[in-house]
Amino acid sequence: MHDSVPAHDPSCLFCRILAGEIPSSRVLETPDAVAILDIQPVNFGHVLLVPRLHHADLAELPDDVAARVATLLPRLARAIQAACKADGLNVVINNGRAAGQTVFHGHWHLVPRFVGDAVRWPWPQGRYEGDAMAVTQAAIALQLTST
Ligand code: 5GP
Ligand code: ZN
């Protein structure tokens, strides 16, 4: 964990939920994370997987914490799909305001999906023109050599 990041931020909604100051419907608790029902579900059974340590978003999450929390995803996915009799499931992280993040304590959404439900997915996709794909590939790969 980064020394500058507090484990608990008293101004953070999810820290307060994890501390029990605000009630939540918990479906799983481990030493690393708590899974709760989203209070405004896309579909019934919409679960938020929330690391216990406060980090603003995915990019801030230490690799080891991210790895331990992410190991819970297959088990949660199986349980949600079985309990909700879902046809499928989306796992989503909204990372940053531009991506729709509203609670700045990083978390995974697990959204059960049903054939013909009202969710608008997939999102619109474009295409690379000219050398844009190679330029983008090189830029990301370069960043990865220094992180
Ligand atoms: P984000 O938009 O940051 O990716 O996701 C935040 C989620 O937290 C939203 O889907 C929202 O419905 C949910 N949420 C907001 N306030 C509460 C709350 O008090 N309790 C629970 N369980 N979920 C909440
Ligand atoms: Zn927090």
Side-chain angles (χ1 to χ4, degrees), residues 19-39:
E21 296 167 22
I22 295 172
S24 62
S25 297
R26 300 181 180 214
V27 297
L28 180 67
E29 296 191 53
T30 77
D32 297 302
V34 178
I36 63 174
L37 292 185
D38 193 304
I39 205 168

Side-chain angles (χ1 to χ4, degrees), residues 38-125:
D38 193 304
I39 205 168
Q40 291 186 291
V42 172
N43 282 320
F44 285 3
H46 178 171
V47 162
L48 304 174
L49 176 59
V50 186
R52 286 189 188 271
L53 292 179
H54 176 85
H55 292 92
D57 60 30
L58 179 70
E60 301 266 318
L61 205 57
D63 290 358
D64 59 332
V65 177
R68 288 200 300 276
V69 177
T71 59
L72 302 169
L73 288 169
R75 190 169 151 225
L76 273 172
R78 287 191 294 270
I80 294 166
Q81 283 197 233
C84 300
K85 299 184 171 40
D87 301 311
L89 184 108
N90 289 118
V91 178
V92 178
I93 294 177
N94 298 326
N95 202 60
R97 209 176 296 277
Q101 187 176 4
T102 58
V103 177
F104 291 88
H105 176 135
H107 54 281
W108 284 252
H109 292 255
L110 294 97
V111 181
R113 295 296 309 279
F114 302 89
V115 172
D117 69 18
V119 180
R120 290 294 153 257
W121 190 274
W123 45 32
Q125 289 181 269

